[in-house]
Amino acid sequence: MLLAGLLLVAGCGNSAVAAMMRLTKAEGTVEIEDGEGKDISITEDMKLYSGYHVDTKSKSYAWISLDEVKLVKLDENSDAQLRKDGGKLELLVNSGSLFFHITEPLGGRKAWISEPPL
């Protein structure tokens, strides 16, 4: 049942929203740039800010926590960008895939999934 929920949620959109995002784990070649295109050194549990780009190469993955209660995984060969949307950060997937790991209902106000703009 959880797997069915994950597949349903993974197909719901290409962005995630939260008040705070952190890179909790990186595997393989993951690159992060700030809003000016400058490379940022990856550190454990690093905070991500508006304007940052996260890029994963072949056989590489990035796990990002949303308000420390939800977790998303940026799949290999993916590019995502963080931007401020009101008082929240939005993680937009420019290319590739984003998977959502959900262990509790999404009914809370902490983090949610949004549809891409039309």
Side-chain angles (χ1 to χ4, degrees), residues 4-88:
L6 286 173
L7 292 174
L8 175 66
V9 171
C12 287
N14 64 353
S15 66
V17 179
M20 182 178 61
M21 295 188 188
R22 291 184 181 274
L23 178 70
T24 57
K25 181 179 176 183
E27 182 178 302
T29 305
V30 176
E31 298 172 350
I32 297 180
E33 294 180 349
D34 66 13
E36 298 173 355
K38 180 181 172 190
D39 289 333
I40 303 293
S41 296
I42 294 176
T43 59
E44 184 177 321
D45 201 33
M46 73 181 286
K47 195 169 183 180
L48 302 174
Y49 299 96
S50 182
Y52 278 25
H53 281 261
V54 182
D55 185 37
T56 59
K57 303 300 183 190
S58 180
K59 298 181 183 177
S60 302
Y61 310 92
W63 286 264
I64 299 171
S65 69
L66 310 175
D67 294 330
E68 299 180 15
V69 296
K70 307 287 187 242
L71 185 67
V72 296
K73 177 184 173 187
L74 192 59
D75 202 18
E76 66 179 328
N77 298 316
S78 296
D79 174 61
Q81 168 185 353
L82 281 87
R83 74 174 183 194
K84 198 77 150 171
D85 183 21
K88 301 281 186 175

